[in-house]
Amino acid sequence: DTEVTQTPKHLVMGMTNKKSLKCEQHMGHRAMYWYKQKAKKPPELMFVYSYEKLSINESVPSRFSPECPNSSLLNLHLHALQPEDSALYLCASSQDRGGVRPLHFGNGTRLTVT
Amino acid sequence: AQTVTQSQPEMSVQEAETVTLSCTYDTSESNYYLFWYKQPPSRQMILVIRQEAYKQQNATENRFSVNFQKAAKSFSLKISDSQLGDTAMYFCAFIKTGANSKLTFGKGITLSVRP
């Protein structure tokens, strides 16, 4: 069982839709991450939250909007996506951002943009 | 900037045999951690093993062990007694210690375990 829960598992959306991805962890971790992963490629970092504040935005287009309502929850709001945004979106958490603690990943949301 | 290189895109091993996955990295940092993550078809990235750079002893987790050569900047993963469930993509990753550190992944290697 994964300790980082992502919903939904699969999402199909049109280019004009608005949808959200959700990530939850109850391990008391204070750092949370969004990654985008294309098939057979390594994950690419999108955003990092540390103590509920956005600390890294890897120049992600504004059609992706992260939100961290509390220390256990991380959302990724999607609007006006492009077909090339179709990918596996992984959420991860760690105790802190010091690099000492490993990342724990969720099972991901498979997103298809039509 | 750090780089992580996994030069073998694919490997195959017979069940119960031993296989070694290669990884090299480049950094000027002295304090860092190295990881191997496994991603089976179920998609979840699972931590296999972790190595602290300041520790000379190679990390071991059951059938998984690493050969950490700090001077050569090499970090290979040995899987003993391979099992069908080991079939997955394996990523080597690097992170320096510090508040603004980011995990750097290698390109990954697809490992297939043959029955």
Side-chain angles (χ1 to χ4, degrees):
Chain A
D1 289 339
T2 181
E3 296 167 321
V4 177
T5 304
Q6 289 188 244
T7 53
K9 287 193 171 75
H10 302 274
L11 179 62
V12 179
M13 61 185 289
M15 289 189 283
T16 58
N17 292 158
K18 283 185 183 181
K19 296 285 185 184
S20 296
L21 310 185
K22 180 179 170 182
C23 174
E24 205 161 357
Q25 58 87 13
H26 296 286
M27 296 178 281
H29 290 177
R30 303 315 300 265
M32 295 187 78
Y33 310 76
W34 280 116
Y35 283 86
K36 173 183 177 181
Q37 187 181 26
K38 292 282 199 179
K40 299 289 188 184
K41 300 289 186 187
E44 298 171 13
L45 184 63
M46 299 175 73
F47 302 103
V48 181
Y49 274 83
S50 180
Y51 290 84
E52 297 152 54
K53 288 187 173 16
L54 183 65
S55 63
I56 292 181
N57 176 342
E58 291 285 272
S59 302
V60 178
S62 59
R63 57 186 185 267
F64 295 90
S65 175
E67 179 196 18
C68 189
N70 59 59
S71 60
S72 300
L73 191 55
L74 185 66
N75 298 320
L76 186 63
H77 303 297
L78 314 172
H79 174 55
L81 294 193
Q82 304 297 310
E84 60 264 28
D85 297 322
S86 298
L88 180 67
Y89 287 84
L90 291 166
C91 174
S93 70
S94 62
Q95 282 192 312
D96 54 43
R97 285 214 51 230
V100 176
R101 307 297 181 185
L103 269 61
H104 296 250
F105 286 85
N107 279 344
T109 293
R110 176 80 63 196
L111 174 67
T112 303
V113 181
T114 60
Chain B
Q2 287 70 232
T3 59
V4 177
T5 302
Q6 294 178 254
S7 55
Q8 307 152 302
E10 292 182 2
M11 286 191 79
S12 178
V13 64
Q14 194 74 31
E15 196 176 7
E17 298 290 309
T18 295
V19 65
T20 298
L21 311 184
S22 301
C23 173
T24 59
Y25 61 96
D26 191 21
T27 184
S28 58
E29 301 289 335
S30 55
N31 296 317
Y32 53 88
Y33 288 79
L34 294 160
F35 306 89
W36 278 98
Y37 279 92
K38 167 187 176 181
Q39 189 175 36
S42 63
R43 308 181 325 201
Q44 188 188 4
M45 294 277 282
I46 302 163
L47 178 67
V48 175
I49 202 163
R50 181 178 80 153
Q51 176 77 45
E52 293 105 306
Y54 62 87
K55 283 191 177 178
Q56 291 187 342
Q57 187 173 6
N58 289 325
T60 299
E61 286 286 343
N62 300 314
R63 298 183 294 108
F64 299 89
S65 61
V66 297
N67 184 3
F68 174 48
Q69 301 290 327
K70 190 172 183 179
K73 295 183 180 155
S74 170
F75 182 61
S76 60
L77 176 69
K78 185 172 85 170
I79 306 175
S80 304
D81 185 27
S82 297
Q83 300 176 0
L84 297 178
D86 295 333
T87 292
M89 198 153 186
Y90 287 80
F91 293 97
C92 179
F94 168 103
I95 192 167
K96 64 175 185 174
T97 56
N100 295 316
S101 54
K102 295 187 285 188
L103 197 59
T104 300
F105 287 96
K107 287 186 177 179
I109 177 171
T110 300
L111 176 67
S112 300
V113 180
R114 305 185 305 272

